[in-house]
Structure formats: C-alpha cells, structure tokens
Amino acid sequence: MAPDTHHTEVGSPSGSPFAATRAAAAVADARGVLVGWSPGAEQLLGYGAAEVLGRPAASLLAAAGRAAVLTAAADLGHEAAQGRQVGATLRCKDGRDLAVVLRAHPWVGPDEARFWLLLAAEEAEMRRWEEDLAVLSGLFNQSPVGLLISDTDLRCTRRNQALERMTGVPIGQRLGKRISEALPDLNVAEVEATMKRVLATGEPVLDFIQHGLTPADPSREHVWSTGIFRLQDSEGTVLGLCHAVVDITDAHRARERMQLINEASIRIGTTLDVGRTAKELAEVALHRLADSVTVDLLDSVLRGDTPAPGPADQGLTLRRAAHETVFESMRPPKALTVGELSRFGPASPQALCIADLEAKFIAHLDLTAPWLDEDPRRAAIIRATGVHSLIAVPLTARNVLMGVATFYRWRDLEPFDDDDVTLAAELGSRAALSMDNARRYTREHNTALALQRSLLPQRLPVLNAVEVAGRYQPAGSDTDLGGDWFDVIPLSGARVALVVGDVPGHGVQASATMGRLRAAVHTLADLDLPPDELLTHLDDLVGRLTEEEGGGGRDEPHADGPAIGATCLYAVYDPAERRCTLASAGHYPPAVAGPGGSVAFPEVPAGPPLGLGGLPFETTELDLAEGSLLVLYTNGLIMARDQDIDIGLDSLRRILSQPEPVLEDVCDQLTTALLPFRPPDDVALLVARTRALGPDRVATWDLPLDPAIVVDARAAATRQLDLWGLQDLAYVAELVVSELVTNAIRYGKPPLRLRLIHDQNLICEVSDGNSTAPHLRRARSDDEGGRGLFLVAQLTDHWGTRYAARGKIIWAELFLPR
C-alpha cells in the first residue's frame, strides 16, 4: 500500500484520517477483486483478511447508495484519473451499515499490473478533521489575533498574517529566529524566560504583557496581551509553544489614564498650599504623561488674593511655581528656577490659552516657529532638548484663572494626541480647584493672622508692680488660629491687671471673638471695677453677643453663640499692699510660686463660664511676698499631651519649684516641657514676678474732715516731694492735693486719707467713705465753686475714680520729668 501523500504542517490538527498509519486500506485489482486487506480495514468493518480476499470490493457495499458508488467507479479511468473521493455506506460484519468517505487511488504494481488503493474513513471522523483544519486555516489566515508557533528552541516555525501586521516583520525574516533576534526592542528577556517556564512546566500563561517598539510603528510603544501554552502530540512529546497575541495598546493607555486620574485625586491637593499643589501636579504628570512639566501661577494667587474672573491679557507676567523634568541636567540654571518671573510671548501657546482659557496642543513642534523667538531663553532650552510636542493648559477654577501648566515631550518619541490633551486638562482642572481652595484658605488665613496679631498684645508694658513675660502657642502649628489670649493692663494706683482667657474653637471667628472680649476687658478695666464686677459685665456682654449671632440667648439652655463657654481669669495686683485680688469665670486657678520654691494652686471660686449667667462671681485675695511668681495659663498647657489634669498640674508644680531666673526662660521651660511639637489646642501663658512698693515709695496721711487741714495736707505733700527729689512737680502737686482734699471734705464722709505714690509717675490719691462719684463740670463765670475737678483734669495727665469696699478713691497722675 502506498503512503498518504497529504502534507500536515506543524500546528495543524491531528493527521488526516487518510494518513497511512490510521486509514482503513484495501487493494483491488483491475477487475475490482480484493487482493489486499489492512489491519485498519479489519478494525473498521470487522472482517478478517481471509474473509474478504478474492471477493469483489462491491460486495462490501450496503444496498443503500450502491448504485451511485458503482457508477462513480465506472467513470473512474485508470490512466486519466488521479483518484476520486465519494461517500459510501459499507456493510460491517456484524450487520451494521457504516457511513464512510471512500477514496480510490490508481496504482501500478510490479510487471505493470494495475491496482486500486482503496482508503476508507468514518464520515464523522472525516467531518471533525475537516472542521479542525478549517479552524486552523481561519486562525492563521483570517483571525485578527496574532498567532505564532515556536519550537523547543524558542524559534519561530509558523506565524499568521495578523502577527505580521502587528510587528511589521516579514515572515521570511521571522521564521527560524528567536524573539530576541527578530524584535530586540521588546521586553525580550522577560518574554523568553516566560517561554522557557511554560515549556518546562506545561502551565499556560494568560495575559502576559509585552511592550516595546516594532518596525510596524517605530515611534510609538505598543502593548500586547499574550497567552502562551505548550504543544505536544498524542504521546506527550513536547513540540513547542503556541502564542496568541492581542494588541491592547489603546485599552492599556486608557487604563493608565484612569489610574493616573485616580492617583491625581489622591496626590494633588494634599495641603492647603498653592506652591505645594503646583509641585504635586508636576510630579504626578512626569514620566507617565510628559518628560517635562512646568507650572506658572499669577502672583496674586500665590499671595492668596482673588484674580479678576475670566481670561487674562496675553502680556500677563506669571511666576514659576513648579518645574519637574526627567533629567537632573534639565534643572536650573538652564531652566527657570521656582520663584522666577515667567513671561510668555503673545503668540506662544501659553499666552493663547491664557487669553481664551482653552488648552493649546502642538503635536509636532516646528523648532523654527516664529513664536519661539519671542522668548530666546525658553527657545534655547526647547531646541537643545529636542522638544517635539507640547500641551499648554490654563489652570482655572470657578471661572478664575490661576496660571498655566505646560507639558513637554522630548525623550518619549510619541507625540501628544487628543487623549493626552484631555488627560492634561483633567489634571490641570483638579490642580486648579485645589489651588483655588488653597488660595481662598491663604487669603482667609492671612486675614486671620493679621487680625490675631493686631488683637494680641504687641508688647508687654514695663511696670514697677510686676515683671512679666508671656507666650501664645497656636494649635497644630504657628499658622493655626485660636481664641486664647493674655493681657497685662496698668491700673491706677500703680496696680496692674493680669488677664488670661480662652474662647472655644479655632479660626477667624474664635480670634474675632477673642478680640472683642479683650477690648471689653480693657474698657472695663479702665473703669477700675473690682474683678468680680468686671466679670459680671463681661458675662453680660457675651450674652448679648450670643443673641446678636442668633444663639438664642440665655433663656435657651442649649444656646451656642460665638463665645458661649469662654473662660477668663482676672487678677489685680497692688504692689503697695502686696495683695492680689482674683476672680474666675470657669477658668483654672493660677499657680503661685513663692520665693522659697513652694508652689501652690490657690482655691479661687470658679464662677460659670462667660455667657451662661445665673451665678455670681466671687473674689479671692492673696497676700504675695515680693518676688513671687504668679502663673496664669489656659487649659492647653496642662492637657496638651492627652494626660490627666493632675499629671499636668504636677509637672507645672515641679518646674516652678526651681524656675529659671529670667522670666522669658521660665516661659520657654514650661512650653518645652509641657507642650508637644504640635499642641492639639492653643495655649496662652502669662508669668509675672511680683514687686513691692515700700515705705520709701508710698506716703499716707489720715486726715480729719476739717477744711483747715487742707493747708497741712499741702505742706505734707510738698515735704514728701522734696524727699523724693520731685521739687519740679511741687506747685502742680500742691494744687491737685488741695482740690482733691477740699472736694472730699466738702462732699465726702470719713475716713479721709491722702496717699502719694512714687511710681513711674507721681500718683495722688484721696479716699473717703462716700460712694457717690464726683462729676466734672464746667463752671459758669459767675459761679463761686465747681472748678476743682476741672482744674485737676487740666493739670494732670490722668485722673479718675475707683470704688473700694467702703467709699471711693479719687486719683490723679502726673508724669515725672524725664
């Protein structure tokens, strides 16, 4: 029997059913008598050779269709025909009819004898084989999926047309070569390592990503998804590998764009800082979108001001806010440094996009374009690096122009396309919105900082009564705002008021409320009110503020105005008496450190916080030795580390038991030990070291209510001024003493007392037991009296009245000659 001459290529379906090793074969002579019978024929029909040899081949035909087969056989000429294939039905030995495909081939044997080689295969098997062959033919000739067959040496043995179109490598240059030889610009090391692993393990690899440049598109990197599986025959012999390749460049780029947008939403706008946001935009776009990115912003945006809405003039000058490039060598001084002014020519893409707020896109940059010559420095950089494509995007938010971002490509050979413009515009839009938020925050924050700086004490007064030092530490950082404050207010009689307060919350509202309370305290302190009365008036003020702000007032138990819950500690220290009088509105008591190192927290009746009303405020009096430390603070100092209040107070006691000699150092010591780097709440701290005005600085006389005593009072005052060396003030002081004592004798009640205090100025005080306040009036020309207080007001620098536990004190102050 002659072998089947049908050629089977590597990678085709299993061999044809008519292959010599598989077909049912028989040989008939020229008369149609069977003279040869193969084991395959015996297996197919069940007849042994002895049962069929010598019989006509037609005897094996079933009745159905016999005539058609015999007719076809009669038409088959031995000389002219090259074989013929027909469908037939054969009768099996067990009586079954079997549909087969019958093929007859002429054959010339020894001695020129003529025979017929008859091959038969089951019709169903033949149909499956033809379908497999059609599928394989379609995959290699019509499928858009790239197919490649490689042998065990990783060399290409077959490839379809789709893969040839993808790579641009002709079939003649690909066969017999490894991928590293045919396409060296792919990630070949990774590809061949994966191929060897599949050959060794037999485990297929799905969605293996290949990327690189090919002759089909040398300027654009493509991405392919490849499935690799092992080929082996029916006996398990490994024949090679099959690669199924799909170009996913567009889908991959779309996925990368989405990933970049998602990443931008996380990485851009992490802070409320315009410059940092510009840098984040440049960093996100670098590598994955552009080779160089610059961001230029309006100066007004960097300052936090509000630019004019809509487009801007083309001649606008911006300032470089960020510059990122893939090579360090491209950084300054060759390019503009961050902070430099950046000017764009009227015809430049940046100026054009600023003018109409539309992105400008140059896919293929002409390095001889006239607009480049408008800026020689920038043109030199563009030409030196070989920039071939750029996008200029206006940074706008809420119809406000922030600046312009420019994206350059010079290392990546692929030019920008429309999708890149859309992506750049999206990144710019996200960055611009963050910049606008940062700009608004900067504007509000600068306003708040200026407000807070103006509300807090600019400098503490230098007084003989106390030596003072203070600290204000905002929450979080030096730029956060709060409502804590402290103050030192000089009072009459050489006394001083020490104040510390805490308004809840942070931000502009807290600072503004703090300023209003601080101003109110100053006004009430000028009236020389006792601490409890001052806090009562301040409490009423906070209640009115709450009503004005819509808080509902005190009648509503849950009213929540701008200062509800504010606390305040008000202390008045008299250096002549060495006595401190305090009252608290829900505030922590001060710490008192004696000269010997003892530290105490005196019990001060804690009245309700300001604005709640209902309960009275009470005063406490402390006698302080000269050199004592009086420390006033807000709760942020002792509770800054999320610790129990007792722990904070113990730490405060320990530090004050051995304080530094310089008060500024004491403040530093306390804030360093008690506050973390970024305290959670703002802190106000005031430290005062008490001084005393001894007998050499204070002179006191008890006087009877007798008009004749006025002469003695004047004489005593003159003698005291001589002792103090203040003879230059004697004349004015005599008049003031005379008028005040006369006025007290005429309108007051006993006891009457005259006191002179030599402080930074000369203070004259006259007290009596009558609480009726005197009134300054201008006497008519025919009046005989009524000019006393008017003369005092004209002759002194300050004068006023304050009330004591019994009666009042009228005082006047004369500046000492310098």
Side-chain angles (χ1 to χ4, degrees):
M1 290 182 293
D4 181 24
T5 58
H6 179 77
H7 175 65
T8 301
E9 294 180 291
V10 176
S12 68
S14 60
S16 166
F18 290 116
T21 58
R22 304 185 60 231
V27 180
D29 60 13
R31 296 174 298 142
V33 177
L34 292 172
V35 296
W37 191 253
S38 71
E42 181 178 353
Q43 183 180 3
L44 181 66
L45 298 178
Y47 298 105
E51 297 177 275
V52 295
L53 292 179
R55 291 174 55 182
S59 65
L60 298 178
L61 294 172
R66 177 186 291 183
V69 176
L70 293 177
T71 300
D75 294 338
L76 185 62
H78 200 282
E79 290 82 3
Q82 297 299 320
R84 186 171 181 180
Q85 181 174 303
V86 296
T89 304
L90 301 180
R91 175 63 57 87
C92 298
K93 182 178 180 179
D94 59 6
R96 292 181 298 111
D97 288 346
L98 181 64
V100 299
V101 176
L102 189 63
R103 180 179 292 177
H105 290 277
W107 179 31
V108 179
D111 301 327
E112 299 296 324
R114 297 177 181 272
F115 299 92
W116 291 99
L117 174 63
L118 303 176
L119 301 173
E122 288 189 59
E123 185 179 38
E125 183 182 357
M126 187 66 185
R127 186 177 298 111
R128 286 194 301 270
W129 182 81
E130 289 177 342
E131 288 175 352
D132 289 346
L133 189 63
V135 170
L136 183 60
S137 175
L139 287 174
F140 271 87
N141 298 318
Q142 300 176 18
S143 173
V145 177
L147 292 176
L148 181 140
I149 306 298
S150 60
D151 59 20
T152 54
D153 291 329
L154 311 185
R155 299 187 181 277
C156 174
T157 61
R158 187 172 183 183
R159 189 187 63 175
N160 70 350
Q161 296 177 0
L163 191 58
E164 181 175 342
R165 289 191 297 270
M166 288 182 191
T167 62
V169 179
I171 186 65
Q173 299 178 19
R174 186 68 178 91
L175 291 179
K177 294 183 178 180
R178 298 167 70 119
I179 190 171
S180 57
E181 298 169 343
L183 295 167
D185 291 331
L186 301 185
N187 52 328
V188 292
E190 186 180 2
V191 175
E192 292 191 347
T194 303
M195 293 171 66
K196 291 177 181 178
R197 186 173 69 252
V198 175
L199 277 175
T201 65
E203 295 182 4
V205 173
L206 302 177
D207 198 25
F208 175 73
I209 301 300
Q210 296 176 255
H211 56 84
L213 303 176
T214 66
D217 194 355
S219 63
R220 182 189 188 200
E221 183 176 81
H222 281 249
V223 182
W224 299 271
S225 175
T226 303
I228 307 175
F229 56 93
R230 192 170 71 181
L231 298 176
Q232 54 192 47
D233 61 16
S234 58
E235 297 180 356
T237 303
V238 177
L239 303 176
L241 297 171
C242 180
H243 307 245
V245 184
V246 178
D247 192 326
I248 60 168
T249 301
D250 292 338
H252 181 77
R253 287 167 62 88
R255 184 164 58 249
E256 280 195 329
R257 290 190 181 98
M258 289 302 300
Q259 290 175 348
L260 184 57
I261 290 175
N262 290 337
E263 182 180 339
S265 65
I266 298 174
R267 293 182 55 189
I268 297 178
T270 59
T271 64
L272 288 173
D273 182 88
V274 174
R276 179 59 193 168
T277 302
K279 182 174 178 60
E280 290 168 346
L281 168 60
E283 290 174 343
V284 167
L286 191 67
H287 296 294
R288 295 166 68 179
L289 178 62
D291 298 323
S292 293
V293 184
T294 61
V295 181
D296 301 281
L297 301 178
L298 299 172
D299 265 342
S300 57
V301 174
L302 293 169
R303 293 193 304 267
D305 298 337
T306 303
D313 296 335
Q314 290 183 339
L316 195 65
T317 297
L318 298 94
R319 192 174 296 277
R320 177 61 49 84
H323 173 222
E324 296 293 329
T325 185
V326 294
F327 286 147
E328 289 291 333
S329 60
M330 286 299 301
R331 294 187 178 276
K334 291 186 178 180
L336 289 177
T337 58
V338 173
E340 277 192 79
L341 292 179
S342 182
R343 297 179 176 86
F344 298 101
S348 66
Q350 293 89 345
L352 295 176
C353 81
I354 287 174
D356 61 9
L357 301 185
E358 295 289 338
K360 296 296 177 284
F361 162 45
I362 301 179
H364 302 282
L365 178 62
D366 180 6
L367 296 180
T368 64
W371 66 267
L372 286 172
D373 296 328
E374 295 175 352
D375 188 343
R377 182 179 180 184
R378 184 174 284 106
I381 299 173
I382 290 176
R383 289 169 178 150
T385 55
V387 172
H388 61 82
S389 191
L390 70 85
I391 302 173
V393 176
L395 302 176
T396 59
R398 303 179 181 96
N399 198 33
V400 173
L401 177 68
M402 308 283 138
V404 60
T406 311
F407 306 86
Y408 300 93
R409 276 189 184 169
W410 41 273
R411 188 180 65 170
D412 187 347
L413 299 181
E414 183 179 350
F416 288 119
D417 57 21
D418 291 336
D419 290 337
D420 293 322
V421 177
T422 302
L423 177 59
E426 175 66 20
L427 296 179
S429 177
R430 290 174 181 266
L433 184 60
S434 297
M435 289 176 186
D436 192 45
N437 291 337
R439 176 192 62 79
R440 290 166 175 252
Y441 170 79
T442 300
R443 180 184 61 186
E444 178 180 339
H445 196 260
N446 289 341
T447 301
L449 285 177
L451 172 64
Q452 190 172 45
R453 281 194 296 267
S454 66
L455 295 179
L456 289 173
Q458 302 301 305
R459 64 177 62 88
L460 296 178
V462 178
L463 304 171
N464 288 335
V466 290
E467 177 190 359
V468 290
R471 288 288 184 276
Y472 174 77
Q473 178 65 51
S477 68
D478 291 338
T479 58
D480 288 336
L481 304 175
D484 290 13
W485 92 95
F486 64 86
D487 222 330
V488 179
I489 306 172
L491 300 177
S492 64
R495 299 169 306 133
V496 60
L498 305 174
V499 191
V500 67
D502 184 357
V503 175
H506 299 89
V508 175
Q509 186 177 22
S511 294
T513 302
M514 175 270 287
R516 299 175 77 172
L517 294 183
R518 179 172 178 257
V521 170
H522 270 264
T523 301
L524 295 173
D526 283 343
L527 298 177
D528 263 325
L529 296 177
D532 54 341
E533 292 186 26
L534 183 143
L535 291 182
T536 300
H537 287 288
L538 196 62
D539 179 65
D540 293 337
L541 172 64
V542 172
R544 290 194 298 271
L545 290 177
T546 302
E547 294 177 1
E548 292 175 4
E549 296 293 334
R554 292 172 175 164
D555 294 336
E556 298 184 12
H558 300 292
D560 187 13
I564 286 291
T567 65
C568 182
L569 178 66
Y570 187 82
V572 176
Y573 175 67
D574 186 344
E577 302 289 338
R578 297 194 304 279
R579 181 170 297 145
C580 182
T581 306
L582 309 92
S584 171
H587 204 87
Y588 289 101
V592 179
S598 62
V599 180
F601 297 94
E603 293 186 4
V604 179
L610 299 174
L612 298 182
L615 295 175
F617 298 100
E618 300 181 30
T619 60
T620 297
E621 291 189 349
L622 304 175
D623 291 325
L624 301 179
E626 185 176 5
S628 298
L629 288 184
L630 188 63
V631 180
L632 286 68
Y633 52 88
T634 56
N635 61 350
L637 181 71
I638 56 175
M639 302 177 67
R641 298 187 184 273
D642 295 328
Q643 59 192 2
D644 185 81
I645 184 174
D646 292 333
I647 297 177
L649 292 176
D650 288 342
S651 299
L652 182 61
R653 176 184 286 108
R654 175 177 50 81
I655 296 170
L656 292 179
S657 63
Q658 294 179 337
E660 297 289 337
V662 179
L663 291 190
E664 291 291 340
D665 294 339
V666 174
C667 291
D668 292 339
Q669 188 180 18
L670 290 173
T671 55
T672 301
L674 298 176
L675 298 182
F677 177 70
R678 294 183 181 276
D681 193 10
D682 47 334
V683 175
L685 171 66
L686 180 62
V687 179
R689 178 177 284 125
T690 61
R691 294 169 176 163
L693 294 179
D696 60 328
R697 290 279 184 164
V698 180
T700 305
W701 300 273
D702 292 323
L703 305 176
L705 287 180
D706 182 356
I709 202 64
V710 173
V711 176
D712 295 337
R714 290 171 58 182
T718 301
R719 289 193 299 270
Q720 188 62 48
L721 293 180
D722 289 340
L723 293 175
W724 287 338
L726 300 178
Q727 294 86 352
D728 293 341
L729 294 178
Y731 178 72
V732 175
E734 285 181 12
L735 289 178
V736 170
V737 168
S738 177
E739 295 298 333
L740 293 182
V741 171
T742 300
N743 193 69
I745 292 173
R746 180 175 301 176
Y747 303 107
K749 296 179 180 178
L752 176 64
R753 174 176 291 179
L754 169 65
R755 185 169 73 165
L756 297 181
I757 302 174
H758 182 193
D759 191 34
Q760 293 177 331
N761 298 313
L762 177 63
I763 302 170
C764 178
E765 295 181 346
V766 175
S767 61
D768 69 86
N770 189 351
S771 298
T772 303
H775 296 283
L776 177 67
R777 65 184 182 89
R778 186 183 297 273
R780 294 188 298 270
S781 58
D782 56 348
D783 288 344
E784 295 183 0
R787 297 179 177 82
L789 289 181
F790 180 78
L791 289 175
V792 170
Q794 297 299 311
L795 295 174
T796 62
D797 298 289
H798 302 290
W799 78 281
T801 303
R802 70 175 184 270
Y803 296 91
R806 179 183 176 187
K808 65 179 180 298
I809 300 172
I810 303 176
W811 57 270
E813 189 171 337
L814 286 77
F815 287 166
L816 298 180
R818 297 290 186 260

